[in-house]
Amino acid sequence: MILIEDTRQQKGKHNNVHKYCDSQGIEIYPLTLTVGDYMLGEVQNGKVVPIGNRSVDTKSLGLIELAGDLSKDEQALDKKYRKCYEQGIKLIVLIEEPFGSIQEIASWKNPHGFVNGRKLLDKMHRLKMMYGIDFMFCDKKRTGETLIKLLKGV
């Protein structure tokens, strides 16, 4: 199995994913992706290409990173997420922070103060409704395993 990792991913940011893939014999191949951070890949005509219609965008800094991303320019954000919708790619945002319920997100207090949990939840809901984007949570210890399952559709 080949896991494609977007070339714009920060080096060392996802050692947990690399460690899991090494333990499972999954090859990680760097390639510039149009959407998300990870997709499954295969070799076609001697080149590694993305396969399937799923992509995972990881947020290793948890809700703080997601809040920062979702509070940026609304037009740029819509363009980014509309692209996956138009390409028929199911985007899953995997937040590396264990949350058990929606209520926990709604009451989350942002230490940087610019977006609170309720506002963040509203933005997540809007993106789900407009573009079908799913938001999932996992513990950093399980990111690699969760990522592969999501990409496989398991």
Side-chain angles (χ1 to χ4, degrees), residues 35 80-91 133:
V35 200
K80 172 185 174 181
Y81 290 124
R82 188 178 330 111
K83 186 188 303 184
C84 28
Y85 181 77
E86 290 170 349
Q87 292 178 5
I89 295 173
K90 174 68 178 172
L91 182 65
I133 295 165

Side-chain angles (χ1 to χ4, degrees), residues 6 9 26 28 54 62 66 72 74 126 136 139 154:
D6 189 73
Q9 275 287 66
I26 299 169
I28 297 178
R54 292 173 163 259
L66 181 64
K72 292 179 182 170
E74 289 282 329
R126 178 181 160 273
M136 304 198 74
D139 188 290
V154 177

Side-chain angles (χ1 to χ4, degrees), residues 36-72:
D37 296 328
Y38 295 97
M39 290 185 80
L40 292 179
E42 71 180 12
V43 177
Q44 294 179 4
N45 299 322
K47 295 172 80 174
V48 174
V49 295
I51 59 168
N53 65 342
R54 292 173 163 259
S55 182
V56 174
D57 189 25
T58 51
K59 302 297 174 201
S60 67
L61 299 177
L63 287 180
I64 290 173
E65 183 177 354
L66 181 64
D69 286 354
L70 296 186
S71 64
K72 292 179 182 170

Side-chain angles (χ1 to χ4, degrees), residues 103-128:
Q103 290 78 15
E104 289 180 52
I105 298 167
S107 61
W108 176 71
K109 303 283 188 245
N110 187 338
H112 302 294
F114 51 90
V115 174
N116 66 22
R118 183 70 223 158
K119 193 177 259 186
L120 181 61
L121 199 54
D122 289 345
K123 288 178 180 253
M124 291 165 66
H125 181 71
R126 178 181 160 273
L127 291 171
K128 169 72 173 169

